[in-house]
Amino acid sequence: MSGWANRGRALRRWATRARDELRSRWQRFEHLWRRSMQLRVVVSTLALSSVVICVLGMVLQTQITFQLMSAKEDAAISQVRSSLPVLERELTAVDPNSDDVAQQLEQALNRLTTPNAGHNQAAGAFDPVLVDGAGTGADSQAQPAAGPIDDVPLELRRFVQQGQLAKQIYTVSRDGEAVTMLIVGTPVDSATRSLQAYLLFPLTSEKRTLSVVQSTLLVGGLVLVVLLGAITNLVTRQVVRPVRQAAQNAARLADGDLDQRMRVIGEDDVARLAESFNEMADSLKQQIKQLEEFGQLQRRFTSDVSHELRTPLTTVRMAADVLHASREQFPPGLARSTELLVDELDRFESLLADLLEISRLDAGVAELAAEPLDLPAIVQRAVDSVRGIAESGDVPLRVEIPVLDLELVGDARRIERIVRNLVANAVDHAEGGPVEIRFGADEHAVAVSVRDFGVGLRPGEAELVFTRFWRADPSRNRRTGGTGLGLSISSEDARLHGGTLDAWGEPGSGSCFRLTLPRTPGQELPGSPLPMPADRRIAAPDALLARALDATAEGDGELAARDTGPARLSEHASPAGADRRGEEPR
């Protein structure tokens, strides 16, 4: 029994492997079928041509068979009619009262088959049969006859006995082999008695002819199908090759190789396609060059303006600080104006700092001051810098620091700026709800996410928030309007580390920002250790529950956050909270 069980398991394993191999081959063919227009055209042509050739072969075979059999039947009937005078002449000597009628009929047959008997033999060799027609019905088996009477079917004999010329194709056995015969029967007029004559014509030569015709049609059809496939493949290749070259050149153009061109041969449609492609490539190259020149000019202008404005700004700052220090001596209206002047100078300095940072990033001269860091400490400093703004807006800040190894090598200033931007951005859009900061880590990377439950992001806005000066809320009515450059700068800071900055949001469900950094700058990131809210489907907390949780929070505002998820936004936020996601409203 164990042997049968082992063989059964082996058979099942073999069947499983065979099924998997068949499925794999079919999937590869399906993939090739979808990607190759040449294969589809060739296979379709072969299939249609095979059907046409099969139909044509069947029609030709039917016509040839019909013509062969018609010619054979006409020749056989003609030979029967030419043999009748010979039979009638020979049968006049048959004695109707003789008991040896069969022997006399045999002698008549010998005369009929004697060469140069004076009758036509266009139908070829035949076996004659003579039957005495004196009996009918069941007695016909005992009738005197000459020749192979058993090879003549009874149905044919009944027709001939009624005085009709009849024919039938019938298979008989000769020497243990089946032989197809064309049997023609006719009544013979005799002065002495009623007789029937049957001539059996073998169809062996006709069958050989039909076999040769069938094999010729089969081989010819296969050769024709192969030739059609080769011709179709050649013709299709001439059409598909330029299209493939155009696709390859377009891919290289998309990769930045603007010198790719197609060869122009002749003046046909393909040549016009190549000319149009080359004209498009020339136009793209020229426009990209103009855009690059314009971008360089714009970056140079931004850098020059930023540097030129720093000198007068420093002077104005000094004067404003003097006025601000003496504001208690001024009337209330003038004192308030002095405070507003200092606040706007703070924003102006923040804008200049952003513009200078953008110009350095665009010029490729930004460098990382990499050093070993403790990520929770950096995040805590960023949270503390915006805590005053959060308290003024009644927004709880909750930080969850798990027991994980959160050490990395990076630029502390840039990482703190990223986190400060994200937290200030979340506070500005939290709509009074909590802001949760969570951490994640694995052997390759560390991550921090900032989640709010405010207005959220509309579909498609998560991909636009990194655009410079883009904002979903053009009214600029947030509490902490910024420059609109913070997210772009934070994204570049993450990229300098070799990390990613992701965003997720839904209207009414808030948004989540996730910063993922490699433990060493430039190290490859296989993924992020923190999940996206889209996967966990975090629900927005009730406002009363949020206040109750906030009431139980620790005095420093550190509270275990709930779930957070991925994000892809970032916005610059100064310690004073002047630049936040309000600059990139959702």
Side-chain angles (χ1 to χ4, degrees), residues 25 42 52 55 69 96 124 145 203 213 250 272 302 306 316 320 346 393 395 410 415 433 436 445 449 454 463 528 567:
R25 290 179 180 274
V42 172
V52 172
V55 173
M69 295 307 299
L203 298 178
V213 169
R272 288 196 293 272
T302 302
S306 301
V316 175
D346 290 338
V395 176
I415 296 176
E436 300 174 350
S449 64
E463 300 298 329
S528 178

Side-chain angles (χ1 to χ4, degrees), residues 68 72 123-125 180 202-212:
L68 281 175
K72 185 70 173 181
T180 303
L203 298 178
T204 305
S205 61
E206 285 74 16
K207 291 183 66 175
R208 284 197 298 266
T209 302
L210 288 177
S211 178
V212 171

Side-chain angles (χ1 to χ4, degrees), residues 198-373:
Y198 301 94
L199 302 185
L200 285 68
F201 298 90
L203 298 178
T204 305
S205 61
E206 285 74 16
K207 291 183 66 175
R208 284 197 298 266
T209 302
L210 288 177
S211 178
V212 171
V213 169
Q214 290 176 350
S215 60
T216 302
L217 290 176
L218 180 61
V219 174
L222 292 176
V223 171
L224 186 58
V225 168
V226 172
L227 291 177
L228 284 174
I231 293 172
T232 305
N233 182 63
L234 179 62
V235 174
T236 308
R237 187 177 181 183
Q238 292 179 352
V239 177
V240 172
R241 183 189 298 173
V243 177
R244 290 176 177 172
Q245 291 177 351
Q248 294 173 357
N249 291 338
R252 295 191 183 100
L253 280 175
D255 291 337
D257 187 0
L258 302 179
D259 295 327
Q260 284 295 322
R261 298 295 183 272
M262 291 184 63
R263 293 179 58 188
V264 180
I265 302 176
E267 300 179 356
D268 54 8
D269 296 334
V270 176
R272 288 196 293 272
L273 171 64
E275 291 177 354
S276 301
F277 182 89
N278 294 339
E279 291 175 359
M280 178 193 68
D282 292 336
S283 177
L284 285 176
K285 183 176 182 180
Q286 182 179 2
Q287 293 181 22
I288 291 175
K289 184 177 180 181
Q290 292 176 354
L291 289 175
E292 289 178 349
E293 293 175 352
F294 177 75
Q296 292 176 358
L297 179 62
Q298 186 182 38
R299 288 191 292 269
R300 189 180 304 113
F301 174 78
T302 302
S303 178
D304 293 344
V305 169
S306 301
H307 284 88
E308 292 298 328
L309 288 177
R310 293 192 70 85
T311 300
L313 179 61
T314 302
T315 303
V316 175
R317 164 62 72 180
M318 292 174 60
D321 289 342
V322 172
L323 293 175
H324 189 266
S326 305
R327 66 184 183 281
E328 295 180 356
Q329 302 175 10
F330 298 153
L334 184 57
R336 177 58 180 164
S337 298
T338 303
E339 294 175 353
L340 291 176
L341 175 62
V342 173
D343 291 340
E344 293 304 317
L345 284 175
D346 290 338
R347 296 186 60 188
F348 194 17
E349 286 184 338
S350 176
L351 174 60
L352 281 180
D354 288 345
L355 291 175
L356 287 173
E357 187 67 23
I358 284 290
S359 64
R360 284 192 293 268
L361 292 171
D362 289 339
V365 298
E367 296 181 355
L368 288 177
E371 57 180 337
L373 303 174

Side-chain angles (χ1 to χ4, degrees), residues 109-127:
L109 286 184
N110 291 336
R111 178 60 181 168
L112 182 63
T113 57
T114 301
N116 301 322
H119 56 272
N120 182 24
Q121 293 188 358
F126 61 91
D127 294 333

Side-chain angles (χ1 to χ4, degrees), residues 513-537:
F513 303 85
R514 181 184 64 189
L515 172 64
T516 306
L517 299 173
R519 291 191 179 272
T520 303
Q523 182 181 356
E524 183 178 356
L525 281 179
S528 178
L530 278 178
M532 299 286 271
D535 299 329
R536 297 198 175 187
R537 312 305 303 171

Side-chain angles (χ1 to χ4, degrees), residues 402 404-407 439-447 519 529-530:
L404 294 173
D405 179 13
L406 296 172
E407 294 183 353
F439 296 85
D442 57 24
E443 59 180 347
H444 302 287
V446 295
R519 291 191 179 272
L530 278 178

